[in-house]
Amino acid sequence: IEIYSLHVDCKVTSRFAHTAITSKIVNRANESREATFEVELPKTAFISNFSMTIDGEVYPGIIKEKASAQQQYDAAVSQGQSAGLVKITGRKLEQFQVSVSVAAGSKVTFELTYEELLKRELGKYELLLKVRPKQLVQHFQMDVHIFEPQGIRFLETDSTFLTNELTEALTKVQNKTKAHILFKPTVDQQKNPDVGETLLNGDFIVRYDVERDATAGDIQIVNGYFVHYFAPHEMPVFPKNVIFVIDRSGSMAGRKIEQTRDALLKILQDLRAEDHFSFITFNSKVSEWRSSLLEATAENVASAAAFVQTLSATGGTDIHRALLRAVDTLHKAEALPERSVSMIILLTDGQPTSGETKVEVIQENIQKAIGGKFALFCLGFGFDVSYKFLEKMALSNGGLARRIYENADAALQLQGFYQEVATPILMQIEMHYPENAIEGLTKNNFKLFFEGSEIVVSGKISNELDLLPVEIKAQSHTSDLTLKEEANVKEKEQVFQNQSYIFGNFIERLWAYLTIQQLLEKSISAPAAQQKALEARALELSLQFGFVTPLTSLLVTKPAEQPQAELANKPSEAG
């Protein structure tokens, strides 16, 4: 079985990435063999198309509601086999895999398309492409086209497998608003001279950021849909009041508690002088490092570092009492800066086993206690945590959850997370648009904005508007802000008119992608009655736009004589 051509074609238009992978395979044996198509794609992406072409006959993948697809095929196939096409393979990736039997001398072409909105983190967008053909490929080519009407501020590529030889196969062409990255190694360049196998095995990453002039962000419009990007910078940072709630139960012993200590020591160095902080550690008992929050003076940071060095792990897990104690400490805190941001960062590696162990009760009590006043961030270390529980608790309290993978770089993952939330520069952000002229507006109120990230709002302009006025209200550390901007609809539409390589309705697809992501996120912390309605709407959009989301399945059709029916389902981090 030989892959004679592999083409990765990625178009990024205004942060929305559309990646198509085409693999052409021939069976050179004189009997039928199994050909496998394997792609690793970002977890944040939605598959939007898949097909196989065998001897000129196209077998399209069909996107259906998950439940009905499952029913249709359970009859024919044992469930284990039917759900095995997509699985999580790492912290950022999931793998799609399909096999088909190919007759002697026959050819098959596999095509997979997926789409995602690139998320700005720590001042840049990252496009991650996984390259792993597992054999030398006669025609191997990767194209990345980027078009950013705001202008490209910087662009870099990075790779885990590029040798000096391979770097010669990489070209970059760039002007103010466009970039084209081409990677086209010959068979000789792909070959590892020592073992004769392929060198192409690993990550190919493109990182970039855009120019930002307008204070009220940037608006783009295509075919009656708009997207508004808002990422202010160089603003004063809010002082933080942060309590770290650290699990030191028995399961954290050894490597995990060491990595936690390393990360906390680094994080302590990153605290700003005007921040206030404290530590609560817990197993079946809850202990406080200090009874109140302390200012991050050099002296207090040094004494906290000495305390962190002594952290050891034994005993049970009383998440409930530890969090209630943290909330209570923040409520009682005195002499905190008037305009400041309070947050709790919980790190745990297990289920609640001591004190209150019913997750529903814990969630309810914590939400009541916090009362919308602070953000709760939950970090789940490893795979013994109930990620669902942590995610629901974080999302119900204005924060987010993250899984920390038990790898050598766990301490870096923890630090990286802290850096994302370390610099809040705006609070209570409200994005206003003319009410009677916009339909299907995505989330437009945000509790916090962190330096280096980006707020994205999208919607449909319903009537014949000539001007789209926007108003942003927010609190900064020093004042209350009101920012205004007006977008000329016709002028904005013009920007994309003459771009030949752009998929035409990309803002509409971006709007659908964002809406589905937000509906699914909202349903996690919504009451049961509301949950059904949110999922129904997300399902409707998934089917309308042909996205494989947690609510839909991709049905892979195959030639009649082959084992029928395979389902590709999107795996979730909550498992």
Side-chain angles (χ1 to χ4, degrees), residues 201-219:
N201 183 0
D203 298 345
F204 185 82
I205 298 163
V206 180
R207 295 191 189 93
Y208 73 93
D209 196 20
V210 300
E211 297 287 1
R212 293 183 173 78
D213 313 321
T215 45
D218 189 76
I219 294 171

Side-chain angles (χ1 to χ4, degrees), residues 77-150:
V77 161
S78 73
Q79 209 167 345
Q81 187 197 349
S82 70
L85 297 186
V86 189
K87 59 178 193 289
I88 288 181
T89 52
R91 95 184 55 133
K92 290 183 175 174
L93 296 165
E94 58 196 34
Q95 183 190 63
F96 173 84
Q97 188 178 358
V98 167
S99 296
V100 64
S101 171
V102 184
S106 278
K107 290 179 174 177
V108 53
T109 299
F110 294 104
E111 278 186 78
L112 179 77
T113 307
Y114 60 83
E115 292 167 41
E116 66 173 322
L117 180 63
L118 301 180
K119 201 170 165 215
R120 188 166 184 254
E121 276 173 6
L122 302 175
K124 49 185 170 289
Y125 306 99
E126 182 177 288
L127 177 73
L128 169 61
L129 296 165
K130 192 76 177 182
V131 181
R132 194 186 291 173
K134 295 186 176 168
Q135 54 172 268
L136 299 168
V137 179
Q138 192 68 47
H139 302 283
F140 180 95
Q141 184 169 336
M142 280 172 68
D143 283 284
V144 179
H145 287 275
I146 298 173
F147 174 54
E148 289 290 350
Q150 282 169 269

Side-chain angles (χ1 to χ4, degrees), residues 186-206:
T186 62
V187 171
D188 282 345
Q189 286 171 317
Q190 294 171 41
K191 204 179 288 180
N192 179 333
D194 305 330
V195 287
E197 288 173 2
T198 178
L199 290 163
L200 306 184
N201 183 0
D203 298 345
F204 185 82
I205 298 163
V206 180

Side-chain angles (χ1 to χ4, degrees), residues 15 94 217 394 446 564:
R15 345 291 198 246
E94 58 196 34
F446 303 85
Q564 268 301 315

Side-chain angles (χ1 to χ4, degrees), residues 182-470:
L182 171 66
F183 180 53
K184 196 176 178 178
T186 62
V187 171
D188 282 345
Q189 286 171 317
Q190 294 171 41
K191 204 179 288 180
N192 179 333
D194 305 330
V195 287
E197 288 173 2
T198 178
L199 290 163
L200 306 184
N201 183 0
D203 298 345
F204 185 82
I205 298 163
V206 180
R207 295 191 189 93
Y208 73 93
D209 196 20
V210 300
E211 297 287 1
R212 293 183 173 78
D213 313 321
T215 45
D218 189 76
I219 294 171
Q220 298 174 19
I221 301 171
V222 170
N223 295 347
Y225 281 81
F226 81 90
V227 59
H228 182 185
Y229 295 109
F230 179 54
H233 52 105
E234 292 170 9
M235 295 184 90
V237 177
F238 278 105
K240 294 189 300 302
N241 315 307
V242 56
I243 299 186
F244 298 93
V245 180
I246 306 296
D247 184 342
R248 55 183 168 87
S249 61
S251 55
M252 284 285 289
R255 191 73 191 280
K256 287 188 205 167
I257 200 82
E258 270 172 44
Q259 290 174 318
T260 302
R261 285 198 299 256
D262 290 349
L264 290 173
L265 291 171
K266 296 272 190 336
I267 287 169
L268 281 167
Q269 298 309 310
D270 287 343
L271 288 171
R272 294 163 183 270
E274 61 275 19
D275 290 342
H276 286 69
F277 73 106
S278 191
F279 287 97
I280 289 176
T281 62
F282 67 97
N283 44 23
S284 33
K285 295 193 185 68
V286 174
S287 31
E288 291 174 283
W289 168 59
R290 294 284 189 272
S291 55
S292 62
L293 287 114
L294 295 191
E295 208 170 329
T297 60
E299 199 179 329
N300 288 338
V301 166
S303 118
F307 161 74
V308 165
Q309 303 275 20
T310 66
L311 281 181
S312 61
T314 58
T317 312
D318 191 342
I319 292 176
H320 184 237
R321 245 177 4 132
L323 281 177
L324 285 177
R325 181 79 55 89
V327 174
D328 192 49
T329 307
L330 277 175
H331 278 309
K332 285 188 179 148
E334 288 165 1
L336 295 178
E338 190 180 325
R339 279 190 181 234
S340 58
V341 170
S342 297
M343 58 175 79
I344 296 169
I345 298 179
L346 167 71
L347 172 69
T348 178
D349 76 330
Q351 319 269 1
T353 59
S354 311
E356 179 56 71
T357 56
K358 286 199 189 69
V359 291
E360 292 78 13
V361 177
I362 299 177
Q363 279 160 350
E364 200 174 324
N365 291 351
I366 299 304
Q367 195 171 348
K368 229 180 246 160
I370 288 180
K373 287 201 167 58
F374 339 112
L376 169 63
F377 296 95
C378 296
L379 302 177
F381 207 144
F383 281 86
D384 298 328
V385 289
S386 166
Y387 190 80
K388 228 179 182 144
F389 157 63
L390 295 179
E391 187 173 40
K392 182 170 180 177
M393 204 156 54
L395 292 173
S396 309
N397 295 291
L400 51 94
R402 203 43 84 72
R403 192 188 296 280
I404 302 298
Y405 282 73
E406 288 181 59
N407 298 351
D409 69 343
L412 285 173
Q413 294 175 55
L414 286 165
Q415 269 169 266
F417 169 78
Y418 173 75
Q419 280 168 345
E420 282 176 50
V421 298
T423 48
I425 56 175
L426 290 179
M427 273 164 73
Q428 311 302 350
I429 305 105
E430 296 172 15
M431 317 277 283
H432 295 289
Y433 307 88
E435 269 175 39
N436 53 355
I438 301 292
E439 287 171 38
L441 190 64
T442 60
K443 180 178 156 95
N444 65 332
N445 283 329
F446 303 85
K447 277 202 160 128
L448 291 170
F449 176 80
F450 298 101
E451 173 80 66
S453 67
E454 182 168 58
I455 284 174
V456 185
V457 182
S458 183
K460 185 180 182 188
I461 303 170
S462 52
N463 56 15
E464 296 299 305
L465 266 195
D466 295 328
L467 291 175
L468 173 63
V470 302

